[in-house]
Amino acid sequence: MAPLDPGPSADASAAPRPINPGRNRSMDPRMRVASSNAHRTSSARQSDSKLELFGFDSLVNILGLKSMAEEPAQTPASPTDSEDIGITIGRPQETDPKLGTLMGVFVPCLQNILGIIYYIRFTWIVGMGGIWQSLVLVALCGACTFLTAISLSAIATNGAMKGGGPYYLIGRALGPEVGVSIGLCFFLGNAVAGAMYVLGAVETFLDAVPSAGFFQEKVTVVDSTANGGSGITISTPSLHDLQIYGVIVTILLCFIVFGGVKIINKVAPAFLMPVLFSILCIYIGVLSAPGPNSPKGITGLSTTTLVDNWSADYQPTNDAGVPDPNGHIYWDFNALLGLFFPAVTGIMAGSNRSASLKDTQSSIPIGTLYATLLTTMMYLLSVFLFGALATRQELLTDRLLTATVAWPAPAVIHIGIILSTLGAALQSLTGAPRLLVAIANDDILPVLNCFKAYEGSEPHVATLFTSFICISCVVIGNLDLITPTITMFFLLCYAGVNLSCFLLDLLDAPSWRPRWKLHHWSLSLIGALLCIVIMFMISWAFTVVSLALASLIYYYVSLKGKAGDWGDGFKSAYFQLALRSLRSLGANQVHPKNWYPIPLIFCRPWGRLPEDVPCHPKLADFANFMKKKGRGMSIFVSIIDVDYHESAEDAKAVCRQLSAYIDDKRCEGVAEIIVAPSMSDGFRSIVQTMGLGNLKPNIVVMRYPEIWRSENLTQIPSTFVGIINDCITANKAVVTVKGLDEWPNEYQRQYGTIDLYWIVRDGGLMLLLSQLLLTKDSFEDCKIQVFCIAEEDTEAEELKADIKKFLYDLRMRAEVIVVTMKSFEAHADGSSRIDDTQEAYTSAQNRIKVYLSEMKETAEREGRPLMEGGKQVVVNEQKVDKFLNTMLKLNATILRHSRMAVVVLVSLPAPPLNQPAYCYMEYMDLLVENVPRMLMVRGYRRDVVTLFT
């Protein structure tokens, strides 16, 4: 199939434009592609398509699969723009030649692993720790990097990789918070590693050319065994010389880095040749030692020397690492571990270049593991060779013993060390800024926005910042103090890679399909534990500081960072945990002791709100009041009564807006948007299908429609009554809030009483809601009053005693007040009747009469029975008057006892069967008349509180 062609009218010089599906999520992808190619594709081509039935011109062309196979996919830098792959229209851009396993992974890893430590510290480590402890040291570090390389290979072969190296791998596996925290630590490790390489090159240069130093320091080492107590004077580079030359070299390297990464990539392979040649010269020199001009301490390969150097001999040293009886630096195995570990780092070099590899799935595992195994075997062999080559005194005092024994001359090693260290320093100063830019471009931390760089441009700001860190470490001037710092940051990164693979392998999500099969979650776990153990062995203080730094970054990212869903392993773990918990809950009823309110918040059933306000501002506040210490989940639902196919995308936009509202109100909940032909049909679907198992919503919360008369006389009453009837049928509790506009927020403290008018048995839901209100700061100073209705005066005291005992067993403190039917009638018919309520009662009677008369006239005219909402209704005027009178009396009682109450809770009556919904709304209006804040509660057929422990 031919790729998408701009057509003859397109400008041939115009650059290809990527289409980012993440930028316009509300548009169908087919529509986006069709609109972008409407003027570019001829009608003949459309008619010739064999896939016209499917609505696509070509699967390869539309999805960009052909361009994906030919060139790197253009992807958005920020996770907020999604991880979708862009579609490039036009001719494929020319790209640099792809690299294979040898030059793309193996050589970079080898170049980064073989560095300054091997040349100027490895013989010293063998002399200080002895052969057997050096073997343990190399094996421990090699096992750590080998297990990390296995985990790295598994993650790297699980999909395409973008820029950022280990930051990208860890972030996509453990989430942005962990990825950014470890990524920034890894950036610091690379920046400090640049200083280590610079100091190594400068130290080698000053050892080779002592006259180049501005200062000269003489160090005396006492050797009473070999020289009868006489001292040996050894010349070592001055700390000030290291600082001066180090700063100068760092600045020069920064100028080279500013020249661009292309220049560095061209000369990078040339730096490896001197390294390999110098190592070969070292082995030739070791095998041919001792030479005619060799020092006395070089014995050549000798079994006697091997036995003498087998055990450890830890001695105090000065700042330059030279043994000194008066030295203040004390060494042990753990200290040597921190000094040597940077010699095995560099296994990430191949993964950092994944975009330049021909076959990432094959090159990264093979190249990384072969480089790791080869260097580990070389180190193990070197331990035996150096241990059998020279005396311990020579190993400890000759800082460049590798140069001393090298064939044909020490200058070969000096040149090799300087070139290799400068090349490694260039790689560090080049890679660290790009790692920082990758973190900044993901747009997680706003504070890093100054380091952002466009794709293809040089990260100048990040390079300056990296250079500043590098120069600061160069000023320290002590290689032995810098290397433990690098070790901690690299170990932290390696532990993150192992933990990422462990989590992904243990969860075994459907998307976890790595091509590299030689891995297991146990190996990753061992690798992670080994990294952590090595960190604490080196220095518990450095470990605590590095972990604290990573934890602070993690907390800062969690607090200030922008949310980004990368499909990390933690989300998968939460998902699997939720599934297991849901299965363990089963489908049986939850015990009252474990009952939690799961409110279904009905956002916009009636009333008018601004278009940009998806929910009443106080509904989320009320939902938070229904939770104890914020525990529980709310489901915010809004119904759009339009055609689904026409408004599906609009519903998604409304859902995002509602989710943003929930987050802004700091309410634990989810947003759901239902598109249905009508409000009643939509709610009926919600109440039947919303939720899973025992995690279905059990309380429906909605605003009382106080404006129903002015908005719509027919629709709102029928919808309101229909919702209540649906809840009763579906066994859901109902809470209707009157006076929602005056509901207090969390900062408005209330003083007074919370009055409960407990008329019918509701499973204790009304009592539970009142106790939940008391747990909030706004209502904690309030007291609860429980009003009960008794049929006869003789039952009042007995009922009061029973209610008090019941509340005591429930651990609820409340004052109980019993209202008898006689006092109920007296308050309603006596002199205490409130004029406003009586006027409302008379008005309600008149409106119902007018409504019923119009309904009867319409039915007689059309020759049909009385109908409302498609259902037949029966009008019994005596019952209508009875219900109105009951509501009048209850309202009068509430106004008599609870006029100053903070909030009133009253039982919500069920809508009478076969009565018009209009009549029920008049009953409810009379009940809430002159009561500023009321909750009408209807429980369901189960208890939500229990007496038993």
Side-chain angles (χ1 to χ4, degrees):
M1 300 180 189
L4 292 176
D5 187 19
S9 60
D11 184 3
S13 61
R17 296 182 180 180
I19 297 177
N20 190 348
R23 295 299 177 90
N24 189 357
R25 300 174 186 171
S26 63
M27 185 180 295
D28 193 331
R30 295 173 292 178
M31 296 174 61
R32 286 198 300 268
V33 177
S35 62
S36 64
N37 293 281
H39 302 289
R40 299 186 178 195
T41 309
S42 62
S43 59
R45 183 175 176 182
Q46 292 286 348
S47 62
D48 293 339
S49 174
K50 295 182 177 61
L51 301 176
E52 185 176 359
L53 175 63
F54 295 91
F56 293 93
D57 180 40
S58 168
L59 185 63
V60 172
N61 291 338
I62 296 302
L63 298 183
L65 298 180
K66 177 171 272 189
S67 63
M68 287 171 57
E70 295 177 356
E71 62 179 350
Q74 298 182 12
T75 51
S78 173
T80 58
D81 293 336
S82 82
E83 297 288 344
D84 296 333
I85 298 178
I87 304 172
T88 302
I89 300 177
R91 297 181 178 178
Q93 297 179 353
E94 295 183 1
T95 58
D96 294 333
K98 297 294 185 177
L99 301 176
T101 302
L102 180 63
M103 297 303 299
V105 179
F106 181 76
V107 169
C109 288
L110 203 63
Q111 185 176 8
N112 280 267
I113 294 174
L114 296 176
I116 187 64
I117 300 297
Y118 179 77
Y119 286 105
I120 67 176
R121 286 293 183 271
F122 194 67
T123 56
W124 185 91
I125 290 173
V126 174
M128 187 70 73
I131 295 176
W132 80 269
Q133 289 197 15
S134 299
L135 291 173
V136 174
L137 182 72
V138 173
L140 189 64
C141 296
C144 177
T145 55
F146 182 74
L147 293 176
T148 304
I150 292 178
S151 300
L152 173 66
S153 301
I155 302 177
T157 57
N158 191 49
M161 288 179 55
K162 296 196 299 185
Y167 156 71
Y168 180 84
L169 297 176
I170 297 172
R172 269 58 180 181
L174 300 182
E177 295 86 358
V178 179
V180 171
S181 58
I182 295 182
L184 287 178
C185 291
F186 191 63
F187 157 75
L188 291 176
N190 278 275
V192 176
M196 179 189 71
Y197 295 131
V198 169
L199 286 176
V202 172
E203 184 176 326
T204 303
F205 171 72
L206 292 176
D207 279 336
V209 189
S211 59
F214 299 102
F215 304 91
Q216 190 69 33
E217 181 179 353
K218 299 292 184 179
V219 178
T220 301
V221 179
V222 177
D223 184 10
S224 57
T225 302
N227 297 286
S230 62
I232 302 175
T233 301
I234 301 176
S235 176
T236 58
S238 169
L239 175 63
H240 302 298
D241 288 334
L242 292 175
Q243 294 170 339
I244 293 174
Y245 279 101
V247 171
I248 295 174
V249 171
T250 304
I251 295 175
L252 293 176
L253 292 177
C254 291
F255 280 112
I256 299 176
V257 172
F258 269 99
V261 69
K262 291 184 179 180
I263 299 176
I264 299 173
N265 287 337
K266 289 180 179 179
V267 300
F271 284 107
L272 182 62
M273 301 308 296
V275 176
L276 299 179
F277 181 71
S278 61
I279 292 176
L280 178 62
C281 292
I282 291 174
Y283 285 149
I284 294 175
V286 169
L287 295 176
S288 60
N293 299 322
S294 298
K296 295 181 180 180
I298 298 179
T299 63
L301 298 179
S302 169
T303 306
T304 304
T305 306
L306 181 69
V307 173
D308 293 340
N309 293 331
W310 182 260
S311 60
D313 185 13
Y314 294 105
Q315 305 176 30
T317 65
N318 57 14
D319 291 333
V322 178
D324 187 351
N326 300 320
H328 60 280
I329 300 178
Y330 298 90
W331 295 89
D332 55 12
F333 180 82
N334 296 340
L336 291 184
L337 187 62
L339 178 63
F340 173 74
F341 194 84
V344 298
T345 59
I347 60 175
M348 302 291 181
S351 61
N352 291 339
R353 305 186 180 194
S354 58
S356 302
L357 299 177
K358 292 180 182 178
D359 186 2
T360 306
Q361 316 292 327
S362 174
S363 296
I364 290 181
I366 296 176
T368 304
L369 290 172
Y370 270 103
T372 304
L373 290 174
L374 178 62
T375 52
T376 302
M377 296 303 297
M378 190 196 75
Y379 286 143
L380 292 174
L381 177 62
S382 299
V383 170
F384 285 104
L385 293 179
F386 293 148
L389 175 66
T391 63
R392 190 184 304 274
Q393 184 66 32
E394 190 69 25
L395 292 172
L396 294 176
T397 56
D398 193 346
R399 302 169 60 85
L400 280 174
L401 181 62
T402 54
T404 304
V405 300
W407 174 90
V412 175
I413 303 302
H414 295 158
I415 296 174
I417 293 175
I418 294 174
L419 290 179
S420 65
T421 51
L422 290 181
L426 277 176
Q427 294 292 341
S428 297
L429 293 177
T430 304
R434 279 156 179 78
L435 175 59
L436 183 60
V437 167
I439 300 174
N441 285 346
D442 273 344
D443 203 22
I444 298 297
L445 278 181
V447 72
L448 299 178
N449 287 342
C450 59
F451 298 115
K452 285 185 176 181
Y454 294 105
E455 185 177 358
S457 63
E458 293 297 326
H460 296 306
V461 178
T463 301
L464 286 175
F465 183 67
T466 306
S467 303
F468 173 76
I469 297 176
C470 185
I471 291 176
S472 301
C473 295
V474 166
V475 171
I476 297 176
N478 192 328
L479 192 63
D480 299 330
L481 293 179
I482 292 177
T483 48
T485 307
I486 304 171
T487 301
M488 292 302 167
F489 290 138
F490 277 99
L491 280 169
L492 192 62
C493 178
Y494 294 169
V497 172
N498 283 293
L499 286 176
S500 300
C501 186
F502 165 73
L503 182 63
L504 294 174
D505 212 359
L506 190 65
L507 295 174
D508 197 20
S511 61
W512 176 244
R513 300 185 304 274
R515 293 180 181 272
W516 182 254
K517 302 300 182 182
L518 299 179
H519 74 281
H520 191 266
W521 63 265
S522 59
L523 296 179
S524 300
L525 180 60
I526 294 174
L529 294 176
L530 187 59
C531 291
I532 296 174
V533 169
I534 291 177
M535 291 176 67
F536 279 99
M537 287 179 63
I538 293 172
S539 172
W540 67 267
F542 273 99
T543 302
V544 170
V545 170
S546 60
L547 292 177
L549 178 61
S551 301
L552 287 175
I553 299 175
Y554 179 91
Y555 177 75
Y556 181 78
V557 175
S558 303
L559 194 66
K560 299 292 185 179
K562 298 180 182 179
D565 188 2
W566 294 344
D568 55 85
F570 283 128
K571 297 292 178 61
S572 179
Y574 297 153
F575 182 76
Q576 292 196 23
L577 181 61
L579 291 180
R580 292 182 182 180
S581 301
L582 187 62
R583 288 196 299 266
S584 64
L585 285 175
N588 299 325
Q589 288 189 353
V590 179
H591 194 277
K593 289 190 295 184
N594 299 324
W595 188 88
Y596 280 88
I598 305 178
L600 179 71
I601 311 297
F602 210 4
C603 294
R604 300 179 66 130
W606 29 72
R608 293 179 179 175
L609 293 174
E611 291 297 331
D612 58 343
V613 179
C615 182
H616 194 288
K618 293 299 182 68
L619 269 178
D621 294 333
F622 181 76
N624 283 329
F625 281 112
M626 297 181 66
K627 303 173 185 177
K628 184 177 181 181
K629 297 181 180 179
R631 292 193 293 265
M633 181 183 68
S634 302
I635 303 176
F636 289 78
V637 173
S638 186
I639 299 175
I640 304 178
D641 49 349
V642 291
D643 182 73
Y644 174 73
H645 296 285
E646 294 179 357
S647 303
E649 294 297 330
D650 294 336
K652 294 179 182 179
V654 174
C655 186
R656 288 193 294 269
Q657 189 181 27
L658 184 56
S659 299
Y661 163 83
I662 297 172
D663 295 338
D664 183 65
K665 300 295 289 185
R666 292 181 295 178
C667 182
E668 290 187 359
V670 295
E672 294 289 345
I673 303 297
I674 303 297
V675 181
S678 65
M679 192 77 68
S680 300
D681 293 339
F683 183 80
R684 196 165 290 119
S685 300
I686 292 172
V687 80
Q688 293 181 80
T689 60
M690 187 68 68
L692 292 172
N694 275 316
L695 289 183
K696 292 183 178 180
N698 45 34
I699 303 177
V700 176
V701 179
M702 57 183 171
R703 179 188 183 188
Y704 180 74
E706 303 172 47
I707 41 77
W708 68 278
R709 286 197 187 93
S710 59
E711 290 291 330
N712 192 316
L713 289 174
T714 305
Q715 183 180 1
I716 291 182
S718 60
T719 303
F720 183 71
V721 172
I723 288 175
I724 296 177
N725 285 328
D726 290 341
C727 291
I728 294 174
T729 304
N731 197 25
K732 307 288 185 185
V734 183
V735 176
T736 304
V737 186
K738 192 263 181 182
L740 188 62
D741 295 335
E742 291 78 28
W743 190 264
N745 58 33
E746 56 182 334
Y747 304 108
Q748 296 174 327
R749 301 187 71 87
Q750 305 295 307
Y751 301 93
T753 60
I754 299 175
D755 292 354
L756 282 66
Y757 286 81
W758 199 6
I759 301 175
V760 297
R761 182 178 180 273
D762 60 357
L765 179 59
M766 192 183 301
L767 295 172
L768 181 61
L769 290 178
S770 65
Q771 295 297 317
L772 291 177
L773 289 177
L774 289 182
T775 62
K776 305 301 178 182
D777 294 338
S778 301
F779 293 95
E780 64 178 359
D781 295 324
C782 298
K783 296 181 180 179
I784 296 179
Q785 295 184 143
V786 178
F787 293 86
C788 301
I789 308 298
E791 294 287 343
E792 301 292 340
D793 292 345
T794 55
E795 299 175 357
E797 292 300 324
E798 183 180 356
L799 178 61
K800 184 175 183 178
D802 290 343
I803 296 298
K804 281 188 174 181
K805 178 66 167 55
F806 179 71
L807 294 178
Y808 176 80
D809 291 338
L810 289 177
R811 291 88 63 200
M812 296 182 180
R813 300 180 59 183
E815 181 183 357
V816 180
I817 302 173
V818 178
V819 179
T820 62
M821 294 301 293
K822 288 186 177 180
S823 62
F824 192 78
E825 299 285 343
H827 295 329
D829 298 331
S831 58
S832 61
R833 176 182 294 177
I834 301 175
D835 295 337
D836 293 341
T837 306
Q838 180 62 38
E839 182 180 352
Y841 172 76
T842 305
S843 299
Q845 278 184 320
N846 296 332
R847 287 192 297 269
I848 290 177
K849 289 179 181 179
V850 172
Y851 180 80
L852 294 179
S853 63
E854 292 177 353
M855 180 182 289
K856 290 178 181 178
E857 290 178 1
T858 302
E860 291 176 358
R861 184 170 60 252
E862 296 179 356
R864 58 172 176 80
L866 296 179
M867 302 288 291
E868 186 187 60
K871 296 181 179 180
Q872 185 175 352
V873 297
V874 177
V875 176
N876 188 331
E877 296 184 0
Q878 291 182 349
K879 283 192 174 182
V880 171
D881 289 338
K882 178 182 178 181
F883 293 154
L884 279 175
N885 191 46
T886 301
M887 292 302 177
L888 170 66
K889 296 173 182 178
L890 181 56
N891 178 262
T893 303
I894 292 174
L895 292 179
R896 173 181 175 83
H897 294 284
S898 306
R899 177 177 287 273
M900 303 304 294
V902 172
V903 61
V904 176
L905 285 79
V906 65
S907 299
L908 176 69
L913 293 176
N914 300 325
Q915 276 199 12
Y918 181 88
C919 297
Y920 184 76
M921 291 303 302
E922 291 289 357
Y923 306 155
M924 300 306 300
D925 264 10
L926 192 57
L927 174 63
V928 303
E929 183 72 23
N930 296 321
V931 181
R933 198 181 294 155
M934 178 183 285
L935 301 181
M936 289 162 279
V937 182
R938 182 168 188 84
Y940 57 111
R941 297 183 294 271
R942 59 159 304 165
D943 293 330
V944 298
V945 293
T946 179
L947 304 177
F948 303 101
T949 181

